[in-house]
Amino acid sequence: RHDNTRQHILDTGYRIIAGKGFSSVGLNEILTTAGVPKGSFYHYFESKEQYGQTLLEEYFNRYLTTVDTLLQSEAASGHERLMRYWQQWLNSQCDECADQKCLVVKLSAEVADLSDAMRLTLRDGTDQVVARIAGLIEAGVADGSLPALEPRSTAQMLYQLWLGASLLGKLHRNSDALEGAMKFTQQLMSRQIFMF
């Protein structure tokens, strides 16, 4: 029961924070929505900051599991797996998918100056994501489905492009920037753009 309550608090908070942000959501809102008393919260988390850090760690664990599944899909080429990853990103950031918003996009700028622990969790998590993307690029270069790109710097550049496109999509409330990121990524992956 304890693990279920802890996870229920995390899942409830994720849904609320993904929509409203971290600072604008109080513990009372999370606990009332979850139907959990305040004492239960403090049984699992020392503070809202530690709760936020745990929420981000859980988010990255789930996210990296998804990326690892793509990496392990040996039946598809590196190019196909990489493009599947970007397509999933585009789909998850659309207006119709409000519950699936990326916490990195939602919280990075907001919490980086508020909580060093949360900033470090975001930094370490995004470094792991970039490493996984680099692994997909490396696999594509090795199997000949991608041009001879330097995996780490290409992964970093693409991740930054997609984060920026996600932020612009939020500002403009449309998918134009994400579709532009997809077009650039497709051109880069199909040898129509040469870099590095």
Side-chain angles (χ1 to χ4, degrees):
R1 173 154 169 88
H2 290 290
D3 289 338
N4 291 339
T5 301
R6 178 184 180 276
Q7 193 60 51
H8 180 61
I9 294 168
L10 287 167
D11 292 344
T12 301
Y14 172 81
R15 285 189 302 275
I16 297 169
I17 290 169
K20 294 183 174 182
F22 186 76
S23 298
S24 65
V25 175
L27 287 182
N28 285 336
E29 181 177 0
I30 294 169
L31 297 176
T32 299
T33 304
V36 174
K38 193 175 265 190
S40 293
F41 177 87
Y42 287 108
H43 175 75
Y44 299 108
F45 311 101
E46 293 178 15
S47 64
K48 185 181 176 192
E49 178 184 23
Q50 192 217 9
Y51 171 77
Q53 184 179 5
T54 303
L55 186 69
L56 289 168
E57 288 168 352
E58 294 260 331
Y59 171 79
F60 279 114
N61 287 337
R62 283 190 309 270
Y63 190 84
L64 291 168
T65 298
T66 300
V67 177
D68 288 342
T69 300
L70 285 173
L71 275 170
Q72 296 166 2
S73 176
E74 297 298 329
S77 70
H79 177 269
E80 292 168 331
R81 289 182 279 162
L82 185 63
M83 293 314 297
R84 204 176 310 146
Y85 171 77
W86 297 121
Q87 187 63 53
Q88 284 179 352
W89 184 316
L90 193 148
N91 294 343
S92 73
Q93 293 297 307
C94 69
D95 290 339
E96 298 83 26
C97 306
D99 289 341
Q100 299 174 25
K101 297 292 185 193
C102 175
L103 283 185
V104 175
V105 173
K106 187 70 175 181
L107 300 183
S108 290
E110 179 185 352
V111 302
D113 294 331
L114 299 176
S115 165
D116 204 44
M118 290 175 70
R119 180 189 65 79
L120 292 172
T121 301
L122 281 161
R123 182 202 64 194
D124 294 346
T126 56
D127 285 349
Q128 291 178 62
V129 172
V130 170
R132 299 307 204 285
I133 296 167
L136 288 170
I137 293 169
E138 189 173 347
V141 170
D143 70 23
S145 63
L146 291 175
L149 300 164
E150 197 291 308
R152 178 69 186 181
S153 60
T154 303
Q156 184 73 44
M157 181 269 305
L158 286 172
Y159 190 69
Q160 292 167 352
L161 168 72
W162 281 82
L163 279 178
S166 296
L167 287 171
L168 287 172
K170 288 176 64 65
L171 291 174
H172 292 274
R173 297 190 188 268
N174 63 41
S175 62
D176 293 351
L178 286 164
E179 289 169 11
M182 179 61 88
K183 183 176 179 180
F184 177 85
T185 302
Q186 289 169 334
Q187 290 172 344
L188 178 65
M189 297 301 120
S190 67
R191 300 176 176 90
Q192 293 178 17
I193 297 174
F194 294 97
M195 316 178 58
F196 309 108

